Amino acid sequence: MKVKTILVSQPEPKMENSPYSKLINKEKVKVDFRPFIHVEGVDAKEVRQQKIDLNNYTAIILTSRNAVDHFFRIAEEMRFKVPDAMKYFCQSEAVAYYLQKYVVYRKRKIYVGKMNFPDLALLFKKYKDEKFLLPSSDSLKAIVPETLDKLGIDWTRGIFYKTVISDLSDLKEVYYDVLVFFSPSGIESLLKNFPDFEQNDTRIAVFGNSTVKAATEAGLRCDIKAPTPETPSMTMALQKYINAANKR
């Protein structure tokens, strides 16, 4: 079966020359983007009910741009002036640079990991006397609490936002050759929106072991997987599959 249409369960990339743009131009395929899940912030009252007082923390652990946005939103709702001495521990450079939306970067104490959460371990050890706050969503990768607990530091998790399943009812009669998923939540959204979904000839592309597991447990066939040594990105995996499928 040739591939002509692809639905990516994420927002459309904002950059002009994204890898998807190159895929579209090279393979002459139609790629649509639609978030299967979205983020909604919880209000300050709900954060207070978690017994979180922002005055009690000297360092913030930020794992994503959403964490950045919702920490500063809650701070504003609570009329909490974030002190200049606050330390920020960011999982990646992308998260650290995003902080510039809220703070003067060069005047703040910002510590950056390489990419994966455990990469921050050495920094946490160095500043083990800080009181850390982790603003997170209601779903949190197990590696995060496991890493922090193992280090024995003083940390608290606060649920500042939630992952919510998007309404996809308008896609009920729309067919795509390939559906692309990046998280178990995306698989959950597919099944909640379309409980009678039958895969048939639809190819399922999945990124990451947890997404593969969720799709397999849901009875779906995973036709395209990333990352692999040969195809470290989803667009590379799609490219390889399309090359093979469309030549038949």
Side-chain angles (χ1 to χ4, degrees):
M1 293 284 291
K2 288 190 175 183
V3 174
K4 295 179 180 177
T5 57
I6 300 170
L7 179 63
V8 180
S9 60
Q10 284 190 331
E12 185 171 357
K14 291 180 180 177
M15 50 197 267
E16 285 183 20
N17 295 319
S18 78
Y20 286 104
S21 299
K22 294 173 185 175
L23 183 70
I24 291 166
N25 294 330
K26 189 172 182 180
E27 301 300 334
K28 309 302 179 194
V29 292
K30 181 176 185 284
V31 180
D32 290 337
F33 297 88
R34 178 70 177 272
F36 275 40
I37 56 174
H38 63 277
V39 166
E40 290 181 359
V42 306
D43 58 29
K45 180 182 177 183
E46 198 170 331
V47 173
R48 286 193 186 95
Q49 287 172 350
Q50 298 172 50
K51 298 182 178 177
I52 288 175
D53 180 350
L54 298 183
N55 290 289
N56 293 340
Y57 304 98
T58 58
I60 310 297
I61 303 169
L62 300 167
T63 57
S64 68
R65 293 179 181 183
N66 279 325
V68 176
D69 282 335
H70 290 284
F71 167 71
F72 285 97
R73 176 186 61 80
I74 288 293
E76 187 177 349
E77 284 184 21
M78 289 184 168
R79 295 191 174 90
F80 172 75
K81 186 179 185 306
V82 182
D84 292 349
M86 183 70 80
K87 294 181 176 69
Y88 301 94
F89 291 77
C90 303
Q91 181 166 327
S92 66
E93 282 192 6
V95 175
Y97 288 142
Y98 190 70
L99 261 179
Q100 293 180 91
K101 182 177 176 182
Y102 298 97
V103 301
V104 180
Y105 196 86
R106 59 187 171 79
K107 292 185 178 180
R108 297 296 183 271
K109 296 174 181 178
I110 298 169
Y111 308 93
V112 188
K114 292 176 183 176
M115 179 57 70
N116 299 313
F117 192 79
D119 295 335
L120 285 167
L122 287 175
L123 289 167
F124 290 138
K125 283 181 183 177
K126 188 176 178 181
Y127 296 94
K128 63 181 185 299
D129 295 330
E130 303 294 336
K131 290 197 169 185
F132 294 91
L133 173 66
L134 173 75
S136 80
S137 75
D138 52 335
S139 59
L140 184 65
K141 289 181 180 178
I143 192 67
V144 176
E146 284 171 7
T147 300
L148 297 172
D149 287 340
K150 194 174 179 181
L151 291 166
I153 61 175
D154 184 349
W155 73 283
T156 302
R157 176 189 177 189
I159 297 175
F160 282 34
Y161 55 102
K162 294 181 179 179
T163 303
V164 180
I165 289 172
S166 302
D167 179 7
L168 306 173
S169 55
D170 58 305
L171 294 177
K172 189 171 184 180
E173 304 299 327
V174 183
Y175 174 83
Y176 288 91
D177 297 320
V178 180
L179 301 179
V180 183
F181 296 95
F182 291 86
S183 71
S185 300
I187 300 292
E188 182 187 357
S189 176
L190 172 72
L191 300 176
K192 282 278 177 70
N193 275 284
F194 310 108
D196 300 324
F197 176 78
E198 292 183 13
Q199 186 171 354
N200 299 324
D201 294 327
T202 302
R203 270 59 58 86
I204 299 288
V206 287
F207 190 91
N209 292 333
S210 60
T211 313
V212 172
K213 184 172 182 283
T216 304
E217 288 178 351
L220 299 174
R221 182 186 69 251
C222 298
D223 303 281
I224 305 164
K225 297 177 185 177
T228 68
E230 192 180 347
T231 56
S233 71
M234 177 54 77
T235 48
M236 289 173 73
L238 289 168
Q239 176 93 57
K240 182 184 175 186
Y241 185 88
I242 292 167
N243 283 340
N246 289 7
K247 280 179 183 176
R248 287 174 193 155

